[in-house]
Amino acid sequence: MTRDHVLNVEGLTLGYGERTVIDRLDLLVPPGRVSAIVGANACGKSTLLRSMSRLLRPRTGQVLLDGEQVHRLPAKELARTLGLLPQAPTAPEGITVSDLVGRGRNPHQRLLSRWSAEDDAAVAAALEATDTVGLADRPVDELSGGQRQRVWIAMALAQQTDVLLLDEPTTYLDVSHQVEVLDLLTDLNRTRGTTIVMVLHDLNLAARYADHLVALADGRLHAAGEPHAVLTEENVRAVFGLDCSVITDPVSGRPLMLPIGRHHVAAPAH
Amino acid sequence: MLLVLAVLVLVALAANLMVGRTFYPPGDVVSVILGQDVAGASFTVGRLRLPRAVLALLVGLCFGLGGVTFQTMLRNPLASPDIIGISLGASAAAAFAIVTLQVDGPVVSALAITSGLGVAMLIYLLSFRDGVAGARLILVGIAVALMLESVISYLLEQAAAWDFQEATRWLAGSLNSAHWGDVVPTLVALVVLGPVLLASGRHLDLLQLGDDTASALGVRVERTRVVAIVAAVGLVAFATAAAGPIAFVAFLSGPIAARLIGPGVSLLVPSALVGALLVLVADLAGQNAFDHRYPVGVVTGVLGAPYLIYLIVRSNRTGGSL
């Protein structure tokens, strides 16, 4: 099992140029759980995630990992505890799966150190966990979207961090691959205790797979807590401006959101 | 493959020492290098061919290493210092020194190096906005290159006949006046800056995964980039100061090395070797293959231009990288 780490955000304000994207946000990531950040387009979800992995400096406030500001930690030390899979990572042309996954070992390597048996074991375990062993020698650019996403997750796994941030890990994937990726992350959380924070577009998948939902609206925290408490008709209306009906998902027992548009509504919802 | 490249470089070096208007067998060449007196060979090989071949080797290594550093870092083969104006920065300063200041030798070199670094800094600052994006830097670099081209044209317009000749020979990239005085600073640059680049090789490779991923893997992106830019520009500027901007060597070495070596491996050393091979072979051909003797830069230019066109055509289709 991995060690639990406390990741939290205090009075965080973020922005690009003139624009403020996140406004005085406070947030505590529950250790050892799966959290999902949801919200409308351009509400600052990805920006928040980037700042949590210190890609973006706070205007004010701070991001704390075990009480220390992430922006002050040495780069490699942070990268041994906290991993990030960005939204659209790019692979160098022609690189093979095992080479790419191996790059996840960088934070564990010294300036001139050789590739170690430990590195080999970590890469093998990452390929195993993501079911990509059979792809190891294939060039990444020849893979399908779902396979490629599994390979990127494998790279993040090879990094062996206790906290893993993922920016829309299911984008561009069809529904079966979306479920596959989310199942994989759940396995990781349950077997290794990895704290997972992901930005997700699909509210229903977020409610099903996350233990903790964070709803952002206009750069502020609108609601956070268990899916039942957060995915409500009022919150969806406030955050997305959408009427909906929330029922209990017969498969998972989690809340399930059914949007109500202007068409194809059989009977009054209430 | 690395070993094969190294052997090829040595063979090319040996050929450059033996072949010329008079052919000297390997035995004579070795004797000269060991300091023995061999009639004829001591002058031709020892005084003319040896500094020329050694300089060709060194500037080739510098161009290859400097070029591939930029191409790797910016994930684009067009991002080579000879395309984005850094070599032209050195050239413009050299033309200014020769034509306007009427100076030569070390002063030209010093100005060329300073100006190469200055232009690199200018391009970096002009393209900086929350970090540096590759495409923006390349476009700014190409614009700066065009500006410098017209500065050079203007300077040549003003030049007296004798200066004009010297300036154009320098601008074509030539080893004709190679002497040990050029070799020493280039060697020092390579010995100091080469290891700096090799040490940051792994982090440079990680930058190819995108800044966000590299940073998440513990790379300090901006610092890695600044160190690499300074070291690579230094190498290219010193080599340019010694032999002129030998066309396209920095640009060609990385992609050729990538084809030979394959993906997933650091290209720094292979590319340096390819650079050396290109300059040595091009100079050998320029000196011996035609009725007329051509400066080395003319030969590499003939090789490089079609490749540039091919690359642009191909990247239109695939958006390709190295």
Side-chain angles (χ1 to χ4, degrees):
Chain A
M1 282 303 239
T2 54
R3 224 183 98 210
D4 278 346
H5 291 275
V6 181
L7 180 62
N8 67 313
V9 161
E10 286 178 355
L12 187 68
T13 302
L14 303 170
Y16 301 102
E18 298 282 291
R19 208 159 60 88
T20 299
V21 180
I22 292 286
D23 192 11
R24 284 163 291 164
L25 185 82
D26 292 305
L27 190 71
L28 174 70
V29 173
R33 311 300 297 278
V34 176
S35 302
I37 303 173
V38 297
N41 287 336
C43 72
K45 298 176 300 237
S46 298
T47 306
L48 173 61
L49 210 63
R50 293 187 79 224
S51 184
M52 285 164 86
S53 63
R54 85 147 184 202
L55 290 172
L56 191 65
R57 280 191 171 279
R59 288 255 176 87
T60 62
Q62 49 196 2
V63 178
L64 299 171
L65 179 67
D66 298 327
E68 301 221 41
Q69 291 192 36
V70 295
H71 290 86
R72 295 220 175 133
L73 287 172
K76 279 197 172 180
E77 189 183 318
L78 178 69
R80 284 194 289 267
T81 305
L82 185 125
L84 167 79
L85 188 56
Q87 194 171 357
T90 47
E93 204 173 296
I95 192 172
T96 61
V97 168
S98 54
D99 270 337
L100 182 66
V101 174
R103 308 232 160 154
R105 296 302 296 162
N106 183 63
H108 301 275
Q109 291 166 332
R110 288 177 181 282
L111 182 60
L112 295 171
S113 69
R114 297 252 164 182
W115 187 258
S116 70
E118 201 180 321
D119 294 327
D120 263 334
V123 169
L127 293 173
E128 188 77 39
T130 51
D131 195 19
T132 48
V133 178
L135 305 175
D137 296 325
R138 301 259 307 271
V140 174
D141 34 24
E142 285 178 9
L143 303 180
S144 73
Q147 290 172 325
R148 206 175 300 175
Q149 193 63 357
R150 292 212 307 268
V151 167
W152 282 107
I153 294 175
M155 189 193 80
L157 293 191
Q159 200 177 339
Q160 293 184 322
T161 59
D162 295 341
V163 183
L164 182 55
L165 313 180
L166 303 101
D167 194 354
E168 300 203 14
T170 57
T171 339
Y172 310 124
L173 300 185
D174 61 34
V175 65
S176 69
H177 287 121
Q178 292 183 22
V179 169
E180 191 180 288
V181 163
L182 293 169
D183 276 340
L184 167 64
L185 295 172
T186 308
D187 288 340
L188 188 66
N189 169 256
R190 294 201 178 152
T191 56
R192 285 159 66 165
T194 306
T195 302
I196 288 176
V197 183
M198 54 189 171
V199 168
L200 279 185
H201 251 311
D202 188 312
L203 280 180
N204 290 329
L205 284 177
R208 179 179 289 191
Y209 279 95
D211 307 309
H212 186 82
L213 277 188
V214 175
L216 295 185
D218 295 327
R220 289 169 189 263
L221 184 68
H222 182 80
E226 282 185 23
H228 281 291
V230 175
L231 187 55
T232 63
E233 291 167 12
E234 296 72 45
N235 282 341
V236 172
R237 196 172 300 120
V239 171
F240 293 92
L242 176 74
D243 285 329
C244 70
S245 173
V246 173
I247 61 171
T248 300
D249 179 350
V251 175
S252 64
R254 296 281 179 96
L256 182 70
M257 189 278 295
L258 305 170
I260 300 175
R262 290 188 295 111
H263 297 293
H264 302 290
V265 179
H270 299 286
Chain B
M1 198 62 225
L2 210 54
L3 199 66
V4 175
L5 267 177
V7 170
L8 284 176
V9 168
L10 286 179
V11 170
L13 186 67
N16 279 39
L17 294 176
M18 295 186 299
V19 179
R21 196 161 290 166
T22 318
F23 178 87
Y24 292 100
D28 286 0
V29 170
V30 172
S31 302
V32 171
I33 292 173
L34 293 177
Q36 288 157 16
D37 216 12
V38 183
S42 280
F43 179 76
T44 311
V45 176
R47 299 285 293 281
L48 297 180
R49 291 186 196 166
L50 193 58
R52 183 185 186 112
V54 170
L55 188 64
L57 172 76
L58 291 176
V59 298
L61 291 171
C62 287
F63 282 132
L65 204 49
V68 80
T69 300
F70 269 84
Q71 291 166 326
T72 306
M73 192 166 54
L74 296 168
R75 295 185 286 278
N76 194 323
L78 289 176
S80 166
D82 40 4
I83 308 283
I84 60 171
I86 293 165
S87 308
L88 275 167
S91 300
F96 178 72
I98 294 169
V99 171
T100 310
L101 302 180
Q102 309 270 336
V103 292
D104 54 15
V107 184
V108 176
S109 303
L111 275 173
I113 291 160
T114 316
S115 168
L117 285 166
V119 167
M121 204 187 307
L122 178 74
I123 296 168
Y124 191 79
L125 290 177
L126 284 176
S127 52
F128 195 93
R129 197 187 303 141
D130 296 326
V132 166
R136 192 161 57 223
L137 193 142
I138 292 167
L139 289 175
V140 169
I142 289 174
V144 170
L146 288 172
M147 218 169 65
L148 290 167
E149 294 261 25
S150 58
V151 169
I152 292 171
S153 302
Y154 170 79
L155 288 170
L156 292 182
E157 284 290 319
Q158 310 291 309
W162 167 251
D163 292 336
F164 178 84
Q165 216 173 26
E166 192 187 335
T168 46
R169 198 179 59 222
W170 194 88
L171 290 171
S174 166
L175 296 162
N176 279 350
S177 54
H179 57 93
W180 294 113
D182 299 321
V183 170
V184 176
T186 316
L187 183 64
V188 171
L190 192 63
V191 168
V192 173
L193 299 174
V196 171
L197 281 180
L198 294 181
S200 53
R202 187 155 64 203
H203 283 182
L204 277 175
D205 280 345
L206 288 172
L207 285 183
Q208 289 190 299
L209 302 179
D211 290 359
D212 286 7
T213 312
S215 171
L217 290 172
V219 176
R220 293 177 62 179
V221 172
E222 287 307 323
R223 195 178 69 169
T224 304
R225 208 160 10 220
V226 168
V227 168
I229 287 178
V230 170
V233 169
L235 286 175
V236 170
F238 271 90
T240 307
I246 301 177
F248 292 128
V249 174
F251 167 65
L252 287 172
S253 302
I256 292 175
R259 299 274 176 297
L260 292 176
I261 297 287
V265 187
S266 175
L267 289 176
L268 293 177
V269 174
S271 173
L273 292 174
V274 169
L277 195 59
L278 277 174
V279 176
L280 284 166
V281 171
D283 196 38
L284 191 65
Q287 290 301 298
N288 302 299
F290 314 99
D291 317 339
H292 184 80
R293 294 188 168 198
Y294 292 100
V296 59
V298 171
V299 180
T300 57
V302 168
L303 290 174
Y307 183 73
L308 177 60
I309 294 167
Y310 160 77
L311 210 61
I312 290 170
V313 170
R314 198 184 67 119
S315 73
N316 268 347
R317 291 201 209 106
T318 64
S321 65
L322 214 62

